[in-house]
C-alpha cells in the first residue's frame, strides 16, 4: 500500500482479555516503531524494530506488552491481561531504515483501544 | 534524559491571525527537531523539520527555526486558516543513539474560527 496501515482501527475489550494490534509498514521500510498516545502520558515510544529484531524495547510499560515482526514487514503488538490504563491510541510508524537521523517516520492512522 | 516542552493549549484564533506555538527542548549535542500535525480523524503527519542550528524548516506557510542558544523550535504562521485546526506536536530525535526514536511534547490543540 501507499502508507502505513493498522488494524483494527478500533478495539473494545474487557479487562483481563488479550488483544493483538497489527501494523503493515510501507513496503521496503526496514525500521518500524510503536508509539502510544494516551491522555495522561501524551505520545510515548514503546518499541523499535530493525528488520525482525527489536534492539530497543525500553518503552514497553510492563511484561504484559510484547511485539514481534515477521518477514521484515508486518508487526504485531500484543497486550496480555489488559488493564483500563492500557486504553490509548496505539500508533505505528515506519521509515526506510537508512542510517540517517533526519529520515522521516511515516505514521499509520492508529488503533484506538478501549479497555472496559 | 532528552525532553520536549511545548505550550499548553488549546490555542484559539480567528482566521488570518498570526500563530506562534512555543517549543523548547532539553538534549545533549545537536538533536534533530520536528513538528508533526494531527488533523481531526487523521494520523500524524510530518509538518517540517530542522537538523542543525539556525536551520529553518518550512511547509504550508508554517516555519520554525532551530535556535541552539535558546534550545527552542517555535512554530509560526503568518495567517492561519480554518483548515489549520489540528493538534501540533513538537518532537526531537536525540543526537546519538536511541535508534532515531521520536521524543514528543504534549501537543498543542489549535482551533481556528472563521
Amino acid at each position: 500500500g501507499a502508507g502505513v496501515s493498522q488494524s483494527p482501527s478500533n478495539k473494545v475489550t474487557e479487562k483481563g482479555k488479550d488483544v493483538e494490534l497489527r501494523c503493515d509498514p510501507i513496503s521496503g521500510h526496514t525500521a518500524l516503531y510503536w508509539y502510544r498516545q494516551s491522555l495522561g502520558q501524551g505520545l510515548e515510544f514503546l518499541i523499535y524494530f530493525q528488520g525482525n529484531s527489536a534492539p530497543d524495547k525500553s518503552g514497553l510499560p510492563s511484561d504484559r506488552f510484547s511485539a514481534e515482526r515477521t518477514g521484515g514487514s508486518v508487526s504485531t503488538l500484543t497486550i496480555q491481561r489488559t488493564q483500563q490504563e492500557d486504553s490509548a491510541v496505539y500508533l505505528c510508524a515506519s521509515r526506510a531504515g537508512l542510517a540517517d537521523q533526519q529520515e522521516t517516520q511515516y505514521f499509520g492512522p492508529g488503533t484506538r483501544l478501549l479497555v472496559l | 534524559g532528552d525532553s520536549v516542552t511545548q505550550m499548553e493549549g488549546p490555542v484559539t484564533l480567528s482566521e488570518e491571525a498570526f500563530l506562534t506555538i512555543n517549543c523548547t527542548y532539553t538534549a545533549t549535542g545537536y538533536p534533530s527537531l520536528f513538528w508533526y500535525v494531527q488533523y481531526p480523524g487523521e494520523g500524524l503527519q510530518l509538518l517540517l523539520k530542522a537538523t542543525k542550528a539556525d536551520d529553518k524548516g518550512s511547509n504550508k506557510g508554517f516555519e520554525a527555526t532551530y535556535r541552539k542558544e535558546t534550545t527552542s523550535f517555535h512554530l509560526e504562521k503568518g495567517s492561519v486558516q480554518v483548515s489549520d485546526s489540528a493538534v501540533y506536536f513538537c518532537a526531537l530525535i536525540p543526537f546519538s543513539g536511541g535508534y532515531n526514536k521520536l521524543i514528543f511534547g504534549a501537543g498543542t490543540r489549535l482551533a481556528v474560527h472563521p
Side-chain angles (χ1 to χ4, degrees), chain A residues 1-4 24-30 72-73 94 96:
Chain A
V4 178
D24 281 275
I26 293 173
S27 178
H29 279 194
T30 62
S73 181
S94 72

Side-chain angles (χ1 to χ4, degrees), chain A residues 33 35 56 100-102 105, chain B residues 49 51 94 99-102:
Chain A
Y33 302 78
Y35 296 87
D56 190 349
D100 182 350
Q101 190 188 22
Q102 311 165 23
Q105 291 184 29
Chain B
K49 65 182 180 184
T51 58
Y99 300 105
N100 288 3
K101 64 190 176 195
L102 286 157

Side-chain angles (χ1 to χ4, degrees), chain B residues 34-52:
Chain B
F34 305 81
W35 277 100
Y36 277 81
V37 58
Q38 189 173 36
Y39 296 104
E42 298 184 17
L44 274 172
Q45 301 174 27
L46 177 66
L47 181 59
L48 53 85
K49 65 182 180 184
T51 58
K52 60 183 187 293

Side-chain angles (χ1 to χ4, degrees), chain A residues 33 35 37 42-45 48 55-56 58-59 89 91 95 98-110, chain B residues 30-32 34 36 38 42-46 49 51 87 89 93-96 98-106:
Chain A
Y33 302 78
Y35 296 87
Q37 186 175 19
L43 252 167
E44 54 183 348
F45 164 80
Y48 162 68
D56 190 349
S58 63
V89 178
L91 297 172
R95 62 178 175 86
L98 303 175
D100 182 350
Q101 190 188 22
Q102 311 165 23
E103 195 174 64
T104 298
Q105 291 184 29
Y106 296 90
F107 283 80
Chain B
Y30 292 85
S32 292
F34 305 81
Y36 277 81
Q38 189 173 36
E42 298 184 17
L44 274 172
Q45 301 174 27
L46 177 66
K49 65 182 180 184
T51 58
V87 181
F89 293 91
I93 288 179
F95 177 63
S96 61
Y99 300 105
N100 288 3
K101 64 190 176 195
L102 286 157
I103 296 171
F104 288 93

Side-chain angles (χ1 to χ4, degrees), chain B residues 3-79:
Chain B
S3 65
V4 176
T5 302
Q6 59 183 109
M7 62 188 291
E8 290 189 23
V11 174
T12 303
L13 296 173
S14 298
E15 207 165 22
E16 299 183 2
F18 184 86
L19 168 71
T20 300
I21 300 178
N22 290 336
C23 171
T24 57
Y25 67 89
T26 300
T28 55
Y30 292 85
S32 292
L33 302 175
F34 305 81
W35 277 100
Y36 277 81
V37 58
Q38 189 173 36
Y39 296 104
E42 298 184 17
L44 274 172
Q45 301 174 27
L46 177 66
L47 181 59
L48 53 85
K49 65 182 180 184
T51 58
K52 60 183 187 293
D54 300 324
D55 264 5
K56 178 185 284 187
S58 61
N59 185 25
K60 299 183 180 180
F62 290 89
E63 292 183 340
T65 301
Y66 190 143
R67 300 289 188 199
K68 180 66 174 172
E69 63 277 14
T70 54
T71 62
S72 65
F73 193 55
H74 304 321
L75 182 68
E76 296 183 336
K77 187 175 185 182
S79 176

